[in-house]
Amino acid sequence: MLLTIINPNTTESMTTTIGKCASQVTGPGTVVHAVTPAMGPASIESHYDEALAVPGVLAEIAAGEQAGSDGYVIACFGDPGLDAARELARGPVVGIAEAAMRTACYLGRGFSVVTTLGRTAGRARDLAETYGAGRFLRTVRACDIPVLELEDPASDARRVITEECRRAVVEDAADAVVLGCAGMADLAALISAEIGVPVIDGVAAAARTVETLVALGLRTGKLGEFAAPPAKPYTGALSDFQMHRPDIC
Ligand code: 5HY
């Protein structure tokens, strides 16, 4: 199968990290195609960034459809554009926050999210409620690390994140910890070994979830809310988004 993993920000090095982490957990029959949108924010740290990331995500979904992609991961912890992507895509589309939080619910009474900036914590809480994981969510802890600092080898981000994960276990009684940024994807196993509880990377969780859905022959229901969007004009910078695809069903 062809699994397209979209990094909604435009930082290529993060796309590379994301693609490597997905490829490490997917099977030999899965081709992982990690892509970076041609437009959008260098990192997503606010509602504004998230809104401006969506057109680039949707353009990559449209490109994936042309390329025959069997399924998609949206690899940003805000899951930007997830519902719109489900309208465009034939195959399943899974967000990393969605996959990570639902996975955490299998692993204990409660989980915590450890993320980058405090201003993104509200979005994480909202998504937990959206995905039915709210009653399992212990806390959302922020490290106050900008997303792109995760790409800096000189940063002590790994230590800071690890200690915040440890506090989630000790102080919040978290049975598991969800990493709240795709840029943390390569840290999950290392941190889990240090703090003694499962640490979930949403990139890996989402990649395996899509792989499983495709293997089961399952995809988004297209007869209702997630049918192809109705045809209409889109003007200005969005004029290229007249991608009405009644054939998607
Ligand atoms: C992410 N931002 O996964 C989110 C993390 C965050 O550019 N990739 C980003 O802080 O919301």
Side-chain angles (χ1 to χ4, degrees):
M1 66 166 282
L2 173 57
L3 172 58
T4 300
I5 298 195
I6 303 167
N7 171 19
N9 74 42
T10 55
T11 298
E12 289 282 359
S13 57
M14 195 170 293
T15 304
T16 301
T17 299
I18 289 165
K20 283 179 183 173
C21 291
S23 298
Q24 285 170 353
V25 299
T26 46
T30 298
V31 173
V32 173
H33 184 208
V35 296
T36 307
M39 57 181 155
S43 64
I44 299 165
E45 300 174 313
S46 65
H47 297 299
Y48 184 83
D49 291 342
E50 188 157 335
L52 291 179
V54 174
V57 168
L58 296 180
E60 292 304 327
I61 296 284
E65 289 299 287
Q66 293 299 317
S69 184
D70 295 291
Y72 302 85
V73 169
I74 295 179
C76 168
F77 204 75
D79 294 350
L82 179 58
D83 287 341
R86 285 175 171 156
E87 291 179 345
L88 284 189
R90 284 186 184 83
V93 187
V94 175
I96 66 170
E98 176 186 38
M101 290 180 178
R102 288 177 168 165
T103 298
C105 293
Y106 292 123
L107 303 175
R109 172 65 64 186
F111 69 90
S112 287
V113 173
V114 172
T115 191
T116 52
L117 298 181
R119 66 182 299 163
T120 68
R123 175 71 172 158
R125 291 191 190 94
D126 288 348
L127 288 177
E129 292 299 328
T130 299
Y131 300 139
R135 63 190 290 266
F136 291 85
L137 180 65
R138 294 281 198 229
T139 52
V140 178
R141 287 180 168 265
C143 300
D144 290 326
I145 296 173
V147 170
L148 295 186
E149 186 174 319
L150 297 169
E151 299 298 295
D152 177 359
S155 161
D156 67 345
R158 177 182 157 191
R159 180 191 61 77
V160 173
I161 296 165
T162 300
E163 290 315 306
E164 206 60 50
C165 291
R166 194 188 310 278
R167 281 193 278 275
V169 175
V170 173
E171 298 173 18
D172 308 335
D175 298 309
V177 177
V178 166
L179 297 179
C181 180
M184 301 177 184
D186 54 347
L187 301 179
L190 295 167
I191 295 174
S192 181
E194 292 206 33
I195 67 173
V197 302
V199 175
I200 300 143
D201 151 42
V203 171
R208 290 295 285 187
T209 299
V210 173
E211 205 176 36
T212 298
L213 292 170
V214 171
L216 294 173
L218 299 173
R219 56 185 182 160
T220 305
K222 304 295 281 184
L223 297 184
E225 179 176 335
F226 296 107
K232 67 192 63 179
Y234 297 86
T235 57
L238 299 180
S239 58
D240 290 345
F241 283 83
Q242 293 184 163
M243 54 181 81
H244 180 55
R245 299 284 309 281
D247 58 311
I248 300 176
C249 59

